[in-house]
């Protein structure tokens, strides 16, 4: 394989680069969202309004239902809208156009339309923003056939998967983890994409599989470093997309290690981890030497106070302790 | 004078009348089939509201867009939707417009500018804004017309859509068919204003109420709104007062708990087909010729639908992802 030239950039810069490059590449791509054109409230959209103008980088009123439905309409009419939801919590006002329209229209209309729509949905806690500004809701959307759901955990995946999402002819919920925005990492130069539907091994190991979703892939990597100091060789696998879910990619690692911890920032009940645990045991039950353990947010809203918030949210330490429990 | 504003020729007026007959007879036939158990799923007929669908769609080009509702057969036909494939969809056939996935509530014929019947009340208005935005980008003078009922005018999506279309000056026409009932709930109970068109004022766009039983009156207000939209002057809200003769759906009687037979008869006296015959000057001979032609077309459509195959089990995954 030829050596890939990389440079180190942040997760949010990677998103910003993907948006610049795809808007440059395809004039049908346009952006909509609150406060994206002028003030660059988010580093992910900085500079786009100046570069591409305010027709294509379109500020919206605070009107999530309206502009999300409008994006579905524009997609039906041949455009490739990319929405900025600011926070996934705000997207709850736009569930109908996402779940009832975008995800179903192609199927329901007998293939007469496609909906090439990307919804960028930053999410997550850890910043004392409280119950309605800290949620991780991707699990809700794997219940909606027709909708791709992408959960990138590092700058390279954020860029490569966002570019793939914008080129995809299906509606995509592209989840971004606010806790990762400043995370830096190597990203290949040039026009670079990552495939939708492929898990990635982020660290090879043989003793235990740590499956980390989004922000928790980072915590699993940190946990693997701590475990290594105690002589435990953990493999970290990141599903990267949860619809489609690369069950074989995840089960392959579990077949090797026989033990599995799944970490996610969403709530435990009915979570992505529950779905992955069920799928992995269906595919690799014979290889499992212990029950699969889930590390997730507790089933309570995310409170403001740092002390309480830390109790609710998953962490590197919680992943380490789950792994040790499995290995003891 | 723009093309849209040219006076209606005799030929076009006859075509409008024939379209109203096509809708009336299609829906009467569909309802019979439904009662005989031949229709897959439910249907909501718009009999009584033909003046709205034909009055509105007769002002549109093929490359203009419409979006409609669960009660959308009339708009579909008026916009040029292919009848055999539409009938096949009602009968749950693989040749149906939606391959038997959508049924009556989701009829669409994108090749004719019909971007779908949408069965979640109010959901089609934001989508119309987006199609209007796409037309604005394209700059070819196309317009998007979204049909909805009085009930949908109380959804948040109505208000967000009017605001977005207004601030962006999009070529979208919001066409409210006020048939006086949201299912069984009377418009006067559910709505803060006597005329829904008054809500246009809150969004600084033209709003007009028109007699929806009069196809020419509807046509005329649409001509104004379409002309405005094509010239880049932005959206309009049209409210057509009309009446559905049938119940909301299957289990709902024509009259009874929420309306009287007397009221029903008052509206039937203003039947849009009778009104059209008078104002368009349709003779008995012409009417007979139209009816014969419509009957032939319907029988052909029904034969096509009946002869078509049902979907195969493997089709269950078809068209989920592009």
């Amino acid at each position: 394989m030829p050596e890939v030239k990389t440079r180190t950039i942040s997760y949010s810069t990677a998103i910003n680069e993907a948006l610049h490059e795809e808007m440059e590449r395809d004039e049908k791509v346009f952006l909509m969202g609150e406060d994206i054109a002028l003030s660059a409230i988010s580093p992910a959209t900085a500079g786009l309004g100046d570069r591409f103008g305010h027709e294509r980088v379109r500020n919206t009123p605070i009107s999530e239902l309206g502009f999300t439905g409008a994006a579905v309409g524009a997609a039906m009419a041949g455009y490739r809208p990319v929405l900025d939801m600011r926070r996934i919590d705000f997207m709850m006002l736009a569930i109908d156009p996402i779940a009832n329209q975008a995800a179903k229209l192609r199927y329901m209309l007998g293939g007469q339309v496609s909906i090439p729509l990307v919804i960028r949905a930053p999410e997550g806690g850890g910043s004392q923003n409280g119950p309605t500004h800290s949620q991780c809701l991707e699990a809700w959307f794997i219940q909606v056939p027709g909708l791709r759901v992408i959960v990138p955990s590092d700058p390279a995946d954020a860029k490569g998967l966002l570019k793939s999402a914008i080129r995809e002819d299906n509606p995509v919920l592209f989840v971004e983890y606010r806790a990762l925005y400043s995370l830096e990492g190597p990203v290949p130069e040039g026009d670079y994409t990552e495939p939708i539907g492929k898990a990635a091994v982020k660290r090879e190991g043989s003793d235990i599989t740590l499956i980390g979703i989004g922000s928790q892939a980072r915590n699993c990597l940190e946990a693997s470093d701590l475990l290594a100091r105690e002589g435990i060789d953990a493999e970290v696998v990141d599903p990267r997309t949860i619809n489609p879910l690369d069950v074989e990619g995840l089960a392959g690692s579990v077949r090797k290690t026989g033990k599995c911890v799944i970490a996610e920032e969403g709530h435990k009940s009915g979570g992505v981890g529950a779905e992955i645990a069920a799928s992995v045991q269906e595919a690799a039950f014979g290889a499992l030497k212990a029950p699969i353990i889930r590390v997730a947010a507790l089933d309570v809203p995310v409170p403001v106070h740092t002390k309480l918030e830390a109790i609710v949210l998953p962490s590197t330490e919680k992943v380490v302790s789950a792994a040790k429990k499995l290995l003891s | 004078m723009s093309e849209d504003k040219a006076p209606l020729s005799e030929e076009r007026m006859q075509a409008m009348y024939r379209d109203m007959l096509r809708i009336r007879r299609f829906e009467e036939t569909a309802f019979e089939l439904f009662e005989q158990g031949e229709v897959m799923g439910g249907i909501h007929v718009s009999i009584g509201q033909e003046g709205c669908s034909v009055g509105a769609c007769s002002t549109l080009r093929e490359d203009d867009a419409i979006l409609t509702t669960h009660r959308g057969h009339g708009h579909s036909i008026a916009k040029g939707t292919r009848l055999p494939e539409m009938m096949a969809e009602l009968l749950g056939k693989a040749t149906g417009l939606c391959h038997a996935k959508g049924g009556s509530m989701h009829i669409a014929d994108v090749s004719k500018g019909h971007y779908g019947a949408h069965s979640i009340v109010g959901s089609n208005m934001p989508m119309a804004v987006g199609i209007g935005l796409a037309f604005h980008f394209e700059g070819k003078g196309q317009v998007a017309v979204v049909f909805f009922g009085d009930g949908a005018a109380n959804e948040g999506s109505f208000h967000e859509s009017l605001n977005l279309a207004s601030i962006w000056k999009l070529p979208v026409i919001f066409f409210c068919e006020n048939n006086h009932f949201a299912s069984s709930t009377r418009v006067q109970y559910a709505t803060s204003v006597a005329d829904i068109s008054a809500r246009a004022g809150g969004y600084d766009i033209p709003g007009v109420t028109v007699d929806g039983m009069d196809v020419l009156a509807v046509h005329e207000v649409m001509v104004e709104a379409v002309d405005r939209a094509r010239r880049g002057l932005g959206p309009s809200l049209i409210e057509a007062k009309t009446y559905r003769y049938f119940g909301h759906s299957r289990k709902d009687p024509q009259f009874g708990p929420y309306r009287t037979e007397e009221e029903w008869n008052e509206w039937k006296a203003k039947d849009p087909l009778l009104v059209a015959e008078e104002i368009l000057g349709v003779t008995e001979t012409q009417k007979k010729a139209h009816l014969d032609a419509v009957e032939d077309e319907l029988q052909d459509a029904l034969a096509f639908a009946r002869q078509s195959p049902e979907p195969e089990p493997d089709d269950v995954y078809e068209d989920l992802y592009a």
Side-chain angles (χ1 to χ4, degrees), chain A residues 31 52 69 73 76 85 125 243 245:
Chain A
L31 313 186
F52 297 102
M76 271 203 282
M85 282 293 170
N243 179 1
L245 183 65

Side-chain angles (χ1 to χ4, degrees), chain B residues 205-273:
Chain B
I205 65 172
V208 58
T209 295
V210 65
D211 178 3
M213 310 305 266
D214 179 344
V215 67
L216 267 190
V218 172
H219 181 90
E220 279 167 19
V221 297
M222 271 294 289
V223 164
E224 283 299 320
V226 168
D227 182 62
R228 243 183 92 76
R230 291 209 202 289
R231 290 195 288 132
L233 299 177
S236 301
L237 171 61
I238 293 171
E239 175 195 23
K241 296 223 163 137
T242 184
Y243 205 73
R244 66 167 152 75
Y245 296 171
F246 281 55
H248 164 69
S249 64
R250 180 184 346 215
K251 288 177 181 160
D252 174 17
Q254 281 181 323
F255 20 82
Y258 63 87
R259 61 182 179 184
T260 63
E261 187 167 1
E262 190 187 4
E263 178 185 294
W264 192 79
N265 282 327
E266 278 170 25
W267 281 95
K268 277 206 83 172
K270 298 182 278 189
D271 185 273
L273 284 161

Side-chain angles (χ1 to χ4, degrees), chain A residues 55 63 66 70 79 107 112 170, chain B residues 97 108 110 130 136 138 160 316 322:
Chain A
E55 281 279 305
S63 203
Y79 281 79
Y107 189 78
Q112 293 186 61
N170 298 298
Chain B
L97 289 164
V110 174
H136 161 78
E138 295 289 307
E160 293 194 23
V316 78

Side-chain angles (χ1 to χ4, degrees), chain A residues 28 71-79 113-116, chain B residues 115 130-132 134-135 138:
Chain A
K28 295 283 186 187
V72 177
M76 271 203 282
Y79 281 79
V113 295
S114 55
I115 312 291
Chain B
Y115 283 82
I131 292 174
F135 288 172
E138 295 289 307

